Amino acid sequence: MLVDPFGRHVTYLRVSVTDRCDLRCTYCMAENMTFLPKRELLTLEELDRLCTAFVERGVKKLRITGGEPLVRRDVMKLMRALGRHLDSGALEELTLTTNANQLARHAAELADIGVKRINVSLDSLDPDRFRAITRTGDLTKVLGGIKAAKDAGIAVKLNAVALSGLNEDELPRMVEWAHGEGHDITFIETMPMGEIDEDRTMHYLPLSVLRERFEQRWTLEDIPLNTGGPARYVRSAETGGRIGFITPLTHNFCEGCNRVRLTCTGMLYMCLGQEDSADLRKVVRESEANEAIHAALDEAIARKPKGHDFIIDRGAPKAAVPRHMSVTGG
């Protein structure tokens, strides 16, 4: 098992397979992004080898992310390869975070591989507002992808970044729509990662404020649901559905962190909000022996910090860490 200095077992690996995305969400990316050259990316075979090493060390949940993972060429070959760990029982869950732009053509195959649930990033149900937030997005296409996943038997959880002055007025409507469709929905505070074209403080909405607004509308009950990530869940008595809150700024969730993140370039980040990392690409390309990978994992996990130091206010730097979320795996 991989155990950090604070006794936390690392059982959850988030893997970015690309830094590229087919949307340009204003809070996540600059409009004119410069993406990594292909030679810097791990190959699909290298990604499989590293993921397998983590599974051998007790990781039970793999989440494939990006950027947008479904824009990576031949990514379904990787998903099928990783599916063997579900068949063997070594892996409990293989899942995906996506913007659903490409989901309609992949949903049935994902279900066949053994993907039981996915997260879909969706910040508005208004077509014009959705296009404004994403700069390029077509809401109809995204909703079609969500429906395809549902029809394939995959449970969908929606992730929405709560943005003051941008989408806060429609967040109750998003809850009602999600619950009416049988989906959970989780709200996330915007995080200070990477330089973007605007001031994040203009749109930062504390989720403590959002929950208070929801409680004026619905009866919310805290529930002990744990999906392996940092969200804390409530159930709405009126809609019958579940609402999650991810609060990296108003409530640090690090005490129970069981996660590490592998980037598409092979950098292992032990904490989302810290810069310390381990170069696993170098290890995997210099040695055909997996013993070198396992030694590198031991050394890296021994440096996992207690928590992050996210701050977002006008006196703080514009970005807590210089890398964009799309690089780390969002």
Side-chain angles (χ1 to χ4, degrees):
M1 297 291 289
L2 295 168
V3 183
D4 76 5
F6 305 95
R8 298 171 299 192
H9 287 69
V10 175
T11 58
Y12 180 1
L13 176 66
R14 299 178 61 109
V15 184
S16 173
V17 297
T18 180
D19 66 323
R20 296 175 184 271
C21 187
D22 46 2
L23 300 180
R24 295 289 184 275
C25 295
T26 56
Y27 57 83
C28 180
M29 289 186 175
E31 185 168 7
N32 298 307
M33 289 289 291
T34 300
F35 295 110
L36 295 165
K38 184 178 179 180
R39 66 180 179 276
E40 294 190 17
L41 303 186
L42 293 171
T43 66
L44 297 179
E45 292 76 18
E46 289 168 339
L47 284 163
D48 181 20
R49 185 180 170 196
L50 287 172
C51 288
T52 297
F54 274 96
V55 171
E56 290 172 351
R57 298 301 299 276
V59 162
K60 296 297 182 184
K61 177 176 178 178
L62 284 177
R63 178 175 294 279
I64 306 303
T65 71
E68 168 49 46
L70 295 180
V71 302
R72 173 78 189 251
R73 180 177 294 179
D74 294 329
V75 69
M76 296 307 292
K77 290 183 180 179
L78 175 65
M79 297 298 293
R80 284 213 167 271
L82 295 175
R84 73 188 186 278
H85 299 304
L86 293 173
D87 296 337
S88 72
L91 189 64
E92 293 177 359
E93 184 174 42
L94 175 62
T95 185
L96 186 81
T97 294
T98 175
N99 62 28
N101 233 14
Q102 311 291 330
L103 186 55
R105 61 194 182 95
H106 294 298
E109 186 176 2
L110 287 168
D112 184 61
I113 290 168
V115 174
K116 303 296 185 186
R117 66 186 184 99
I118 59 173
N119 289 0
V120 173
S121 302
L122 180 66
D123 299 317
S124 177
L125 289 170
D126 177 271
D128 293 333
R129 181 177 288 174
F130 180 79
R131 181 173 291 277
I133 292 174
T134 62
R135 293 192 178 101
T136 59
D138 180 348
L139 181 62
T140 301
K141 188 175 181 181
V142 169
L143 295 181
I146 293 172
K147 182 180 184 302
K150 182 180 178 180
D151 290 346
I154 299 174
V156 175
K157 179 172 76 71
L158 303 180
N159 287 342
V161 177
L163 298 165
S164 176
L166 283 182
N167 66 357
E168 62 179 314
D169 60 322
E170 68 169 308
L171 299 183
R173 177 193 167 207
M174 292 185 68
V175 171
E176 291 171 344
W177 181 83
H179 290 175
E181 293 291 321
H183 308 314
D184 292 342
I185 185 168
T186 291
F187 295 99
I188 308 170
E189 290 173 337
T190 185
M191 287 181 271
M193 296 190 65
E195 294 290 340
I196 58 174
D197 298 329
E198 59 186 39
D199 183 356
R200 284 188 175 92
T201 61
M202 294 173 56
H203 300 303
Y204 168 55
L205 177 61
L207 293 191
S208 55
V209 172
L210 183 62
R211 176 164 177 165
E212 288 175 3
R213 293 176 185 173
F214 285 173
E215 287 175 332
Q216 295 172 10
R217 190 182 189 105
W218 304 301
T219 305
L220 302 183
E221 173 194 4
D222 290 303
I223 57 175
L225 177 66
N226 182 2
T227 60
R232 291 174 168 85
Y233 287 91
V234 300
R235 187 183 302 279
S236 165
E238 288 78 7
T239 67
R242 297 182 295 206
I243 305 169
F245 298 95
I246 296 180
T247 54
L249 293 153
T250 57
H251 186 284
N252 185 304
F253 46 65
C254 303
E255 67 277 1
C257 183
N258 63 340
R259 300 170 297 285
V260 291
R261 296 169 186 258
L262 180 67
T263 74
C264 54
T265 61
M267 301 304 293
L268 180 69
Y269 285 93
M270 286 67 77
C271 175
L272 177 64
Q274 303 284 358
E275 277 294 85
D276 187 33
S277 61
D279 186 353
L280 297 187
R281 181 182 65 184
K282 184 174 185 291
V283 175
V284 81
R285 290 184 177 177
E286 288 185 350
S287 175
E288 295 183 0
N290 285 345
E291 288 79 6
I293 297 175
H294 290 298
L297 296 186
D298 287 331
E299 194 276 335
I301 301 305
R303 305 200 312 267
K304 184 170 168 62
K306 190 172 184 179
H308 65 246
D309 300 310
F310 282 146
I311 299 172
I312 185 167
D313 60 42
R314 293 194 181 276
K318 289 179 68 176
V321 292
R323 67 186 187 277
H324 286 84
M325 189 70 167
S326 60
V327 173
T328 313

